[in-house]
Amino acid sequence: VASSVASSLSWAKEGAAMCLELVAEITARRPAYLHLLPKHEDGKEEEESLRRNLLWITDFSLMGGRTSGITSLDPLDGRMVKLDNAPELTWPNEVCSVPRASSSVSSLAPGLDVALEDALLVADGFLVPGRDDGGIYVVRHPGGAGPLGRERAVRLSPGWDGGKGSRRMRSTVQSLARRLGGIDPVAEEDDARWFYHKAVWIDLTGDGRWSILTARARRPDISFSDDGIPQEDPAVLPSGQLVWLERPRPHHRDKLTGELRDEDGTLFDPFGPRHVPWKERILDEGPDVMFAVADLDPTDDTIDIIAAQFFGKKVTCHSLRRGPRPEVISRHVIDDDCGASYGILLVNLSEKDDKDKTHVPSAPLVVAPGTGGDILRPGDTFTHVLVTSHERTQVDAAVGPADSDTPRLGDHQPLLGGSLFAYAPPRAPGEAAWTRKTVATGFQVRSQLLINPGAPGFCYAFYPTVEGRKRWGRPHLAISGDCAERAYVLRPDDAPERRGMPHAYDLLCEIDCEATVGSLAIGYDDFCQTDVKPHRWAKIYVPAYERDKIFVFAMSGVDEDLEDEAKEQEVEREKDGAHGSYSVGKLWVNSGFHAENKDDGGETPH
């Protein structure tokens, strides 16, 4: 980790002088997805362990000869560890923690108080040839040999290891099973190749077993022209499926120890060889990439999967009844005029001084908030669903001034390129009407990637400090630009004329990385012990894929909540009417707020 303090952006909000500052650059091979997850520490109380996070970095390559990888970074000391088993993965996308089996009936989804396994859940695969046979994996003991065992990747979704022999064996097993009992143990045909972007832990059966809910996609085969340009058959449509991987049942619980056991008396291990792959069930057609899980009507026995259908180019809602045999009982289209929907996130955009109107029995609840949803937990209420539209509009096709590729804020703006939409669910259960507002539009592609270029990527909600909504009201938003090669930070527009418009936001800053920004990570850990007030202010991690870098930005400030020692920070107040930009090597920020170069000789990214 190279220290890289060079410049800062300063502004004021609600009596707090605030600053966004580039504090470091991290060298990492082709960083793609970033995730901050609780650190598992053997021998320590789980409550203490959950106070620290590790930054997990996935990498992959379009080049057939290059392998994929997963690396962890400890924000406190900068220590990086690369996983050994990543070559078994074709294209690692989203990763998440693995909850430890509960000793009693669990909640619908894991909460903050849940003990964690020393493991990662990985959604794997992509649409390009050679990467499209993805799967759902658990990587046990990631990072090397520990007292509990060596690192090992276990595939939970049915599949094969990629060889022709194993594919023939799988086909033989299917054929034999059909002859003997008419039962097909595999949900799909033996030559199916699916890729997965996201998976969540959830109890769909109501018996305390956290199984896996995932979406997957299968793209028609891509051929290449003589010039190396990818080509698709326009007559063949992509397909997506909502899939349930059912967690195995233990045979019994030991009466003396309470431990879960198999029939032969050995300890039950849901990830052990005798229990994988997990049983696969197709719940519905359509969902393909990203989704969130909500309970739109807590008074009934259903939950709702809200899917951003990328290939289907729509946003849909699938109501699922929980029970011994979970099933989707209804579905409807929320929006079929949104383009290629991609990122999805449940958020609470109500003001901090709003009446407690969301805390009523019928208020919609979060089950799994979606990508970038760290500020809402299972059981919290939400007011909106944020969805990004991932479009291919190129910068050089824009008509307008030189800065026409800067996103435009507000619902009054005509749609151009990719957009960020805010959907408000029906006000009462049973109503079908959703309302859509435009938060930002005008995201355009600058990257030269040949495979599915588009912008923007995912949306994230966060607060400047850990105090959250009670201190700041509506959250700030951050957006990964993906092929726009930028990251964006938005702050709530609190102008009096915007009162009652929860979707109204201002562009706080625009970070140009001159490389693909596929995702972001936002947390509050003290980065390499640089904080004056540790573990309070937000840090934003921005990957620059082609540059093999991750840039770390830190928010800081002085307000009435800080102790005296924190007030020693140098933070410049907002200057009325100022507009400018600052350069940090090839990295720059363009903002409607005063930006002052505070170069003190630190190393700059290059």
Side-chain angles (χ1 to χ4, degrees):
V1 179
S3 178
S4 178
V5 180
S7 301
S8 65
L9 172 70
S10 304
W11 70 99
K13 169 150 176 88
E14 295 189 357
M18 299 169 64
C19 175
L20 179 66
E21 188 170 33
L22 176 65
V23 296
E25 68 175 36
I26 302 166
T27 298
R29 174 185 172 275
R30 292 294 190 262
Y33 281 76
L34 305 183
H35 305 278
L36 280 164
L37 300 176
K39 181 179 181 180
H40 182 278
E41 296 181 283
D42 294 329
K44 293 190 176 182
E45 293 294 328
E46 196 69 28
E47 183 178 353
E48 179 183 353
S49 177
L50 286 174
R51 294 177 188 155
R52 293 186 59 187
N53 291 307
L54 289 180
L55 177 69
W56 292 95
I57 307 159
T58 73
D59 65 82
F60 40 66
S61 174
L62 293 173
M63 306 303 294
R66 299 187 66 176
T67 60
S68 302
I70 302 178
T71 302
S72 68
L73 179 140
D74 191 329
L76 288 184
D77 58 18
R79 181 173 179 264
M80 300 180 74
V81 177
K82 187 172 181 62
L83 272 59
D84 294 328
N85 278 285
E88 297 186 24
L89 308 174
T90 62
W91 191 284
N93 295 306
E94 186 168 295
V95 305
C96 68
S97 301
V98 177
R100 190 171 298 166
S102 175
S103 58
S104 59
V105 176
S106 70
S107 57
L108 178 57
L112 275 180
D113 57 342
V114 172
L116 300 177
E117 297 278 0
D118 183 18
L120 288 176
L121 182 69
V122 184
D124 181 63
F126 193 51
L127 58 87
V128 297
R131 304 287 190 265
D132 54 352
D133 179 22
I136 300 297
Y137 291 84
V138 162
V139 180
R140 311 190 77 173
H141 315 300
L148 299 180
R150 286 190 168 273
E151 180 185 307
R152 181 166 60 93
V154 179
R155 180 167 180 148
L156 300 185
S157 56
W160 55 89
D161 61 16
K164 293 182 179 179
S166 58
R167 187 175 299 188
R168 284 196 298 268
M169 177 63 73
R170 183 182 181 203
S171 180
T172 301
V173 171
Q174 285 183 284
S175 300
L176 180 62
R178 292 190 189 102
R179 288 195 208 101
L180 294 177
I183 300 172
D184 184 354
V186 182
E188 278 299 311
E189 61 271 19
D190 61 311
D191 61 346
R193 298 185 306 277
W194 295 95
F195 52 93
Y196 303 73
H197 277 73
K198 182 180 184 63
V200 300
W201 297 100
I202 190 168
D203 175 13
L204 295 183
T205 50
D207 57 6
R209 288 180 297 151
W210 283 318
S211 297
I212 292 173
L213 183 68
T214 184
R216 65 186 185 185
R218 179 173 55 188
R219 193 72 186 268
D221 286 339
I222 298 176
S223 60
F224 290 83
S225 67
D226 294 338
D227 298 328
I229 304 299
Q231 303 177 120
E232 301 174 13
D233 184 351
V236 181
L237 297 177
S239 57
Q241 293 180 336
L242 183 68
V243 174
W244 169 43
L245 297 178
E246 183 180 3
R247 189 186 193 98
R249 295 176 183 269
H251 183 267
H252 65 278
R253 185 182 299 277
D254 190 292
K255 294 181 179 180
L256 294 178
T257 66
E259 295 172 323
L260 301 178
R261 300 277 179 177
D262 278 319
E263 186 174 7
D264 61 3
T266 59
L267 285 176
F268 171 72
D269 181 4
F271 311 121
R274 69 171 64 179
H275 294 299
V276 295
W278 287 9
K279 188 180 295 183
E280 179 183 88
R281 293 290 183 267
I282 299 169
L283 297 172
D284 210 351
E285 303 288 334
D288 49 22
V289 179
M290 292 298 179
F291 61 92
V293 186
D295 192 350
L296 296 178
D297 183 3
T299 64
D300 66 15
D301 61 350
T302 66
I303 59 173
D304 305 276
I305 293 89
I306 306 172
Q309 294 193 27
F310 179 81
F311 298 114
K313 296 187 176 181
K314 54 190 173 184
V315 181
T316 56
C317 181
H318 308 253
S319 293
L320 182 147
R321 179 181 289 131
R322 300 171 66 219
R325 297 185 64 86
E327 61 176 335
V328 172
I329 59 173
S330 67
R331 63 194 60 80
H332 67 271
V333 175
I334 295 174
D335 187 4
D336 59 2
D337 190 31
C338 56
S341 59
Y342 187 41
I344 184 166
L345 178 64
L346 307 181
V347 293
N348 187 341
L349 299 184
S350 62
E351 300 288 347
K352 66 179 180 181
D353 57 350
D354 279 355
K355 299 290 185 182
D356 209 19
K357 58 187 178 185
T358 58
H359 296 279
V360 296
S362 61
L365 301 178
V366 173
V367 178
T371 300
D374 291 336
I375 65 173
L376 290 184
R377 306 293 180 180
D380 288 345
T381 58
F382 70 96
T383 63
H384 290 78
V385 182
L386 298 181
V387 176
T388 58
S389 175
H390 191 77
E391 301 300 325
R392 299 188 183 189
T393 308
Q394 297 281 342
V395 168
D396 59 6
V399 178
D403 63 349
S404 60
D405 62 323
T406 294
R408 303 161 188 183
L409 283 296
D411 192 52
H412 63 286
Q413 299 286 355
L415 298 183
L416 172 66
S419 302
L420 172 62
F421 299 122
Y423 295 88
R427 293 187 177 183
E431 293 183 3
W434 291 66
T435 59
R436 187 186 86 178
K437 297 292 185 180
T438 301
V439 179
T441 190
F443 299 93
Q444 299 176 61
V445 171
R446 304 173 59 162
S447 170
Q448 299 304 310
L449 287 178
L450 297 178
I451 305 294
N452 259 24
F458 303 119
C459 180
Y460 302 78
F462 72 100
Y463 295 103
T465 64
V466 294
E467 288 84 2
R469 184 172 178 267
K470 67 181 181 181
R471 170 69 179 87
W472 301 100
R474 284 191 292 158
H476 285 50
L477 303 178
I479 305 169
S480 63
D482 209 347
C483 293
E485 299 189 337
R486 298 176 181 179
Y488 309 87
V489 181
L490 279 58
R491 74 169 188 174
D493 183 352
D494 295 327
E497 61 271 21
R498 304 292 187 203
R499 184 71 179 177
M501 300 172 62
H503 60 279
Y505 275 79
D506 284 329
L507 180 63
L508 177 59
C509 68
E510 186 174 336
I511 303 169
D512 188 346
C513 296
E514 292 191 343
T516 304
V517 181
S519 71
L520 304 173
I522 304 173
Y524 301 89
D525 291 294
D526 182 1
F527 185 80
C528 292
Q529 303 180 21
T530 57
D531 285 357
V532 174
K533 182 71 174 178
H535 310 294
R536 184 174 192 258
W537 291 88
K539 317 295 182 303
I540 305 175
Y541 298 81
V542 183
Y545 180 82
E546 291 83 0
R547 295 179 64 185
D548 297 327
K549 298 290 185 184
I550 300 173
F551 299 105
V552 185
F553 287 81
M555 300 189 84
S556 61
V558 176
D559 66 63
E560 65 274 14
D561 297 325
L562 285 176
E563 297 178 3
D564 292 339
E565 67 267 18
K567 297 180 180 179
E568 299 175 2
Q569 294 180 100
E570 295 182 2
V571 181
E572 297 293 333
R573 295 281 185 177
E574 177 185 12
K575 295 184 178 179
D576 294 337
H579 181 95
S581 64
Y582 67 80
S583 293
V584 185
K586 295 294 185 180
L587 190 70
W588 57 269
V589 170
N590 185 24
S591 170
F593 301 94
H594 173 62
E596 179 176 348
N597 187 355
K598 297 172 64 179
D599 192 350
D600 56 3
E603 180 183 347
T604 58
H606 57 275

